DNA sequence: TCCAGCATCAGACTTTCGTCTGATTCGCAG
DNA sequence: CTGCGAATCAGACGAAAGTCTGATGCTGGA
């Protein structure tokens, strides 16, 4: 068995136990090896520079720098870098962001681990890998889902449970303007009041608690 | 090394990769062995009967029967059964429920895996194990947090984004009564409107999306 | 037995929410 | 250059939401 031919994988996940499991699966595959692992996005960037893995297996929910930002940062320096995102399914927004950032594969924690190896193989071969449910979630995305930055700002405050008045104070604008933004947000998210807006924002992963 | 002296652990988690990691850590510990594993609460009950493990490592978020219900079911038949809950921290309610159901230990995914072994040892020795942040979360719990079953029902509909009117229709009561329930819920959760109620309910794990 | 708590309802009142109409400014793409 | 969309504000309106007072029936524990 020639070591140099093994596919080098960098594992990024904030759960140590999960990293152990992933590494075990990868290292049990004869032509793959987990060369390094970490629980932080910042360290992932450093480790990538150091080990130049063929594929990076990346969780999105990380303390500090998010997985998406880590992908963006690494890709800005290494355009050929390939990523498989590994996460518990948390709404279509995460998926969309990750793919936009340059991920080639998406794997859901909780799928049988053969699927993980399959995904790694396909992505390493230059292809893509998206599970069926992920494809469906992306297909059902309406383009209206993209809010302006100001609207996302207001939505964040809505999720914080703020009233129109408080939001106005916090943003230094009038309540009338806030109402206007809220109305637009409701239309874009296709809901009829702020409570529903909060629920779908959390469901779709537009914001995190 | 005498096999019969090993501490037998049953692993219950719906993420296969996580199970692999947990089992690897346990089996790497000389005096412990992961005798069985599953991703479902129902199967956990069967496997317990079959293997009689010394400790069951239980995730709370499972498809089908919840981890808490699995603990309750197993305990009703085997009062001496010991449990360590292993979960991503999702609010004080889960913890409270799990301990009330009879768990002796609580471990957060994302802690170093030495801590897991430590927890298993202590619980197997007849003790308890609660990480510091968990203790704090439990300490800051107000007794007001317990809602009546009717109130929980209303809260669930609030989280569903329903209006008072829709809730009234769904429960077959008057809107006046719904308003009354909502008022009580707001006071109990210590918030001032339904949107905030939804947010804290999700934060504290009173309800799941 | 009696009180406390839960669930139910009603009316009235204030505040907030959400919509609508209409208007101004700014930057950017065609 | 022109127009479109974002962001800003205003006023006014109806519809919800939330509070308060007060009242009834039921259950279960002290």
């Amino acid at each position: 068995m020639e070591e140099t031919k093994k596919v080098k994988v960098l594992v990024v996940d904030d759960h140590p136990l999960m990293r152990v499991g992933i590494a075990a699966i990868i290292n049990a595959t004869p032509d793959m090896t987990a060369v390094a692992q970490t629980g932080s996005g910042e360290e992932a960037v450093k480790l990538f520079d150091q080990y130049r893995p063929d594929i990076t297996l990346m969780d999105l929910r990380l303390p500090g720098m998010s997985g998406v930002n880590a992908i963006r940062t690494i890709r800005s320096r290494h355009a050929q870098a390939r990523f498989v995102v590994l996460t518990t399914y948390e709404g279509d927004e995460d998926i969309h962001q990750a793919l936009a950032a340059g991920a080639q594969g998406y794997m859901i924690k909780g799928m049988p681990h053969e699927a993980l190896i399959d995904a790694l193989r396909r992505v390493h071969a230059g292809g893509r890998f998206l599970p069926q449910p992920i494809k469906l979630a992306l297909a059902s995305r309406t383009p209206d889902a993209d809010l302006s930055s100001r609207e996302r700002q207001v939505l964040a405050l809505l999720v914080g449970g703020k009233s129109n008045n408080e939001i106005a104070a916090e943003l230094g604008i009038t309540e009338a303007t806030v109402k206007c933004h809220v109305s637009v947000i409701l239309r874009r998210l296709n809901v009829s009041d702020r409570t529903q807006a909060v629920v779908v924002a959390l469901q779709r992963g537009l914001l995190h608690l």
Side-chain angles (χ1 to χ4, degrees), chain A residues 114-133:
Chain A
E114 296 80 20
L116 175 61
I117 299 299
D118 190 21
L120 289 173
R121 278 199 210 292
R122 293 209 201 182
V123 169
H124 183 248
R128 305 187 135 265
F129 184 94
L130 293 179
Q132 207 56 37

Side-chain angles (χ1 to χ4, degrees), chain A residues 23-51:
Chain A
I25 297 299
I26 290 175
N27 289 328
T29 307
D31 59 337
M32 291 187 183
T33 174
V35 289
Q37 49 179 270
T38 176
S40 102
E42 291 85 352
E43 206 183 331
V45 176
K46 291 181 198 160
L47 289 175
F48 191 98
D49 287 342
Q50 189 176 339
Y51 289 94

Side-chain angles (χ1 to χ4, degrees), chain A residues 1 6 11 44 50 76 88 110 121 123 125 150 180 189 198 204:
Chain A
M1 195 185 310
K6 284 194 178 186
V11 178
Q50 189 176 339
S76 68
T88 65
R121 278 199 210 292
V123 169
R150 194 54 153 174
C180 182
L189 296 186
V198 167
R204 303 189 38 183

